[in-house]
Structures are given as C-alpha cells and as structure tokens.
Amino acid sequence: MVEVETAIQEMFQAPHIQVMRSCSKLSKIFLAAMVHELYKTGMAKTTFGKLATTVSCLCASNREAFPGWDTLLKVGCKFGECRIILCEAGARHRLQKLQLNFPRYMSFAETHHNRVIPLGMAV
C-alpha cells in the first residue's frame, strides 16, 4: 500500500501537473481543446489551426470570449517552453503540428477539475 500511495503522490507532484494547476483559464481551455482534438481524431498530433477552431467552440460553450490567434499562439509557446506540448520546429502558423508531452487522461483530469469540459466527452 505504501508503494501505491508513493506512486500517486509522485504523479500529482509531476511538473506538468503543477503547471496545469497554476495556469490561467484560457490555458486550461487550450489544453482541454488539445485533448479533445486528439481524442476525436485518434491521432498523436494536431495542427494549430484545428486546435484554434476547437478552442473557439470551447470558449463559446463556456461563455468566454475567443482570445484571438495571437493570444493562442502565446499560450501554445508557453506550454512549449515548459515542454507540456511539443511544437513542430519552424514558422509558427496554422499548419504547425502540436503534440502533448504527457498522457491525455492527466490533462483531462486537471481541466475537468476546473470545469472546462471538452465538447463531446463524457463527464
């Protein structure tokens, strides 16, 4: 039992979990959109353009204003700097590929805890 408790504690003390707990609501919406997009397509990567469209839908369903492309790009870059997401090298634009750098279920648990629910996913 001690080993199980230690494993659970280590999981919740992981750096990416700590970053997700302290990030803004927009950042959580960004992650929820990314998880939803990857879940929906079954792919390991998505493009920034597809992610922005999903963010727009999540913002609308959570009664939040869509922040705009530049702001989303800044959020994505911050997650890239923290290595929470992996960004394709090169110019930052709509077709840039993005990938989570940790299991999808962890980000869903964090965003669900804060009531940002991806569209079409069970609560």
Side-chain angles (χ1 to χ4, degrees):
M1 192 63 174
V2 173
E3 292 171 352
V4 171
E5 289 177 12
T6 301
I8 290 172
Q9 188 173 23
E10 286 177 11
M11 183 176 78
F12 288 107
Q13 296 303 319
H16 62 275
I17 295 295
Q18 296 303 315
V19 168
M20 285 187 281
R21 284 186 175 157
S22 64
C23 67
S24 69
K25 186 171 185 177
L26 175 59
S27 296
K28 290 174 183 174
I29 290 172
F30 184 96
L31 285 176
M34 188 155 182
V35 169
H36 174 69
E37 190 62 36
L38 296 175
Y39 175 82
K40 180 176 75 173
T41 63
M43 304 297 286
K45 295 179 182 180
T46 190
T47 65
F48 183 76
K50 289 179 184 177
L51 180 63
T53 300
T54 304
V55 167
S56 177
C57 292
L58 281 175
C59 284
S61 69
N62 282 283
R63 296 185 182 101
E64 297 286 328
F66 180 71
W69 287 78
D70 290 339
T71 303
L72 282 183
L73 186 57
K74 289 176 186 174
V75 170
C77 288
K78 285 183 183 182
F79 282 135
E81 290 168 6
C82 297
R83 304 291 293 162
I84 288 179
I85 65 171
L86 304 175
C87 304
E88 180 181 49
R92 296 181 173 114
H93 54 75
R94 295 176 23 147
L95 300 177
Q96 182 181 27
K97 293 182 182 173
L98 308 173
Q99 175 180 343
L100 288 175
N101 195 23
F102 56 89
R104 289 183 231 175
Y105 68 86
M106 290 182 146
S107 60
F108 178 70
E110 282 304 310
T111 53
H112 174 69
H113 174 71
N114 290 290
R115 304 305 304 159
V116 176
I117 309 301
L119 303 171
M121 294 184 76
V123 178

